[in-house]
Amino acid sequence: SAVISQKPSRDICQRGTSLTIQCQVDSQVTMMFWYRQQPGQSLTLIATANQGSEATYESGFVIDKFPISRPNLTFSTLTVSNMSPEDSSIYLCSATGGETGELFFGEGSRLTVL
Amino acid sequence: EDQVTQSPEALRLQEGESSSLNCSYTVSGLRGLFWYRQDPGKGPEFLFTLYSAGEEKEKERLKATLTKKESFLHITAPKPEDSATYLCAVRFGNNRKLIWGLGTSLAVNP
């Protein structure tokens, strides 16, 4: 199984600012994903981080708001741009691994926007 | 509509009181049903993958089963450390991404 480290684990930000979340995997992985988890809602996939090319965004998420980098097979970043209180959420990095293609998750980054 | 529904939303048990959590799905071409455990302030932790009706997986006090319409996570003689939110997700058809349920919040009282 892959061990995934995220930072920051939590942050409080002002409206209109941007925050970059880092995700480090302890082994090379093909697929990395970014999820959002809001209270009362199911895990929502933001985008698939592709190594060497642009991320693939899900419906409702755009690159200008959530730019993603994937410079290599073990690292990715998610930026939440021009934040508003509605962006307050837990952001989770994940990667596929194991024999059955299951997802492994980081500890999450809890973001509060004032 | 492709959907995953978990029930109950919340469950409170006494230590040693066995019970089951349910995950029902309405998708075509199931390619895998996944169970995760999530503790407060942590990311989801993978528990099981089930692929076909009749399949069962076990880990300590947990046993997951799968039918054509739903999966059950049976918890036998639970302990307080089993308290967590249990999430279910499915992969289906040609989709790479998962559809997630809302989870069941389990509390086991000593």
Side-chain angles (χ1 to χ4, degrees):
Chain A
S1 64
V3 176
I4 301 176
S5 304
Q6 273 185 248
K7 59 180 181 181
S9 58
R10 59 177 61 232
D11 207 339
I12 300 173
C13 302
Q14 296 299 316
R15 180 196 299 260
T17 62
S18 299
L19 178 76
T20 296
I21 302 167
Q22 298 181 5
C23 176
Q24 179 74 54
V25 188
D26 70 342
S27 59
Q28 292 186 342
V29 292
T30 305
M31 308 290 286
M32 291 183 73
F33 306 90
W34 287 96
Y35 278 87
R36 185 170 72 182
Q37 188 173 34
Q38 295 182 312
Q41 297 185 23
S42 61
L43 277 169
T44 303
L45 180 64
I46 297 171
T48 302
N50 302 309
Q51 196 268 329
S53 64
E54 265 191 16
T56 304
Y57 290 85
E58 297 300 312
S59 176
F61 298 96
V62 295
I63 187 171
D64 289 346
K65 177 67 175 177
F66 298 100
I68 288 172
S69 78
R70 176 97 190 265
N72 56 51
L73 292 175
T74 65
F75 186 79
S76 179
T77 67
L78 168 74
T79 299
V80 186
S81 303
N82 188 24
M83 289 183 286
S84 65
E86 292 72 35
D87 295 319
S88 298
S89 184
I90 298 172
Y91 293 85
L92 291 158
C93 173
S94 68
T96 51
E99 298 179 355
T100 56
E102 63 268 23
L103 285 180
F104 296 94
F105 286 86
E107 300 273 273
S109 300
R110 181 181 291 274
L111 176 61
T112 302
V113 184
L114 303 178
Chain B
E1 180 187 356
D2 301 315
Q3 201 167 0
V4 174
T5 304
Q6 290 189 247
S7 62
E9 289 185 14
L11 181 63
R12 185 176 295 274
L13 300 173
Q14 289 299 122
E15 185 171 2
E17 179 187 2
S18 301
S19 188
S20 296
L21 313 182
N22 177 265
C23 171
S24 64
Y25 58 92
T26 53
V27 302
S28 299
L30 181 73
R31 290 176 49 217
L33 185 143
F34 302 83
W35 281 100
Y36 285 82
R37 169 193 172 125
Q38 187 172 25
D39 293 295
K42 306 279 189 180
E45 175 190 347
F46 171 72
L47 293 174
F48 305 109
T49 308
L50 301 167
Y51 289 106
S52 55
E55 189 174 359
E56 299 183 351
K57 294 272 180 73
E58 284 189 68
K59 180 180 180 180
E60 297 180 355
R61 295 177 292 281
L62 299 177
K63 178 176 162 182
T65 62
L66 182 65
T67 73
K68 289 187 178 180
K69 294 182 179 179
E70 59 193 345
S71 176
F72 291 94
L73 184 65
H74 307 278
I75 303 178
T76 302
K79 298 182 178 181
E81 52 262 43
D82 294 321
S83 298
T85 295
Y86 291 85
L87 300 171
C88 169
V90 300
R91 182 176 287 139
F92 62 99
N94 294 321
N95 289 290
R96 290 180 301 135
K97 71 176 187 179
L98 301 174
I99 294 182
W100 293 82
L102 289 173
T104 293
S105 175
L106 174 66
V108 182
N109 296 325

